[in-house]
């Protein structure tokens, strides 16, 4: 079953100028990862340091493989610009509603 993951992050104000480049470079790899159906980047209209990444995955297994990749050999530089702890929430489509 497809998964939609929301990654809610805040960028350090002093890193805002480089945020677009870091996100772009990080998402090139994410979007090319096996099972990724796409990633949209949302920017808070009232807080330019607040981003929500909306990731769509073929399955929970593909998402899990991606998270393992990022925790290991595929670690990105995203952590260098983020303030606080990102919040990751995963959703499945409720087909019975």
């Amino acid at each position: 079953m497809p998964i939609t993951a929301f990654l809610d992050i805040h960028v350090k104000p002093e890193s805002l100028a480089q945020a677009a480049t870091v996100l772009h470079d990080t998402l090139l790899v994410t979007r090319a990862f096996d099972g990724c159906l796409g990633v949209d980047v949302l920017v808070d209209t009232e807080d330019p340091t607040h981003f929500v990444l909306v990731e769509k995955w073929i399955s929970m297994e593909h998402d899990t493989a991606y998270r393992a990749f990022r925790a290991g050999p595929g670690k990105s530089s995203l952590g260098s610009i983020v303030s606080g702890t990102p919040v990751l929430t995963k959703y499945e489509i409720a087909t019975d509603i």
Side-chain angles (χ1 to χ4, degrees), residues 2 4 6 21 44-45 47-48 81 94 97:
T4 300
F6 290 83
T21 300
D44 189 323
T45 59
D47 179 0
I81 66 165
I97 300 175

Side-chain angles (χ1 to χ4, degrees), residues 6-12 19 22-23 41-42 44 47-53 78-79 81-88:
F6 290 83
L7 182 63
D8 192 319
I9 63 171
H10 286 84
V11 172
K12 298 173 195 171
V22 172
L23 283 166
V41 178
L42 307 177
D44 189 323
D47 179 0
T49 67
H50 183 202
F51 296 81
V52 176
L53 283 61
L78 188 60
I81 66 165
V82 172
S83 72
T85 303
V87 176
L88 176 65

Side-chain angles (χ1 to χ4, degrees), residues 41-62:
V41 178
L42 307 177
V43 182
D44 189 323
T45 59
E46 295 184 16
D47 179 0
T49 67
H50 183 202
F51 296 81
V52 176
L53 283 61
V54 182
E55 306 170 10
K56 295 187 179 166
W57 295 93
I58 290 174
S59 69
M60 183 64 82
E61 292 77 21
H62 286 89

Side-chain angles (χ1 to χ4, degrees), residues 11-77:
V11 172
K12 298 173 195 171
E14 64 272 19
S15 298
L16 189 57
Q18 68 190 58
T21 300
V22 172
L23 283 166
H24 178 267
D25 293 349
T26 300
L27 294 178
L28 280 175
V29 174
T30 303
R31 290 176 174 129
F33 199 86
D34 183 44
C36 182
L37 298 172
V39 181
D40 291 322
V41 178
L42 307 177
V43 182
D44 189 323
T45 59
E46 295 184 16
D47 179 0
T49 67
H50 183 202
F51 296 81
V52 176
L53 283 61
V54 182
E55 306 170 10
K56 295 187 179 166
W57 295 93
I58 290 174
S59 69
M60 183 64 82
E61 292 77 21
H62 286 89
D63 176 83
T64 300
Y66 171 72
R67 306 291 164 202
F69 167 73
R70 284 299 192 192
K75 187 170 182 159
S76 75
S77 60

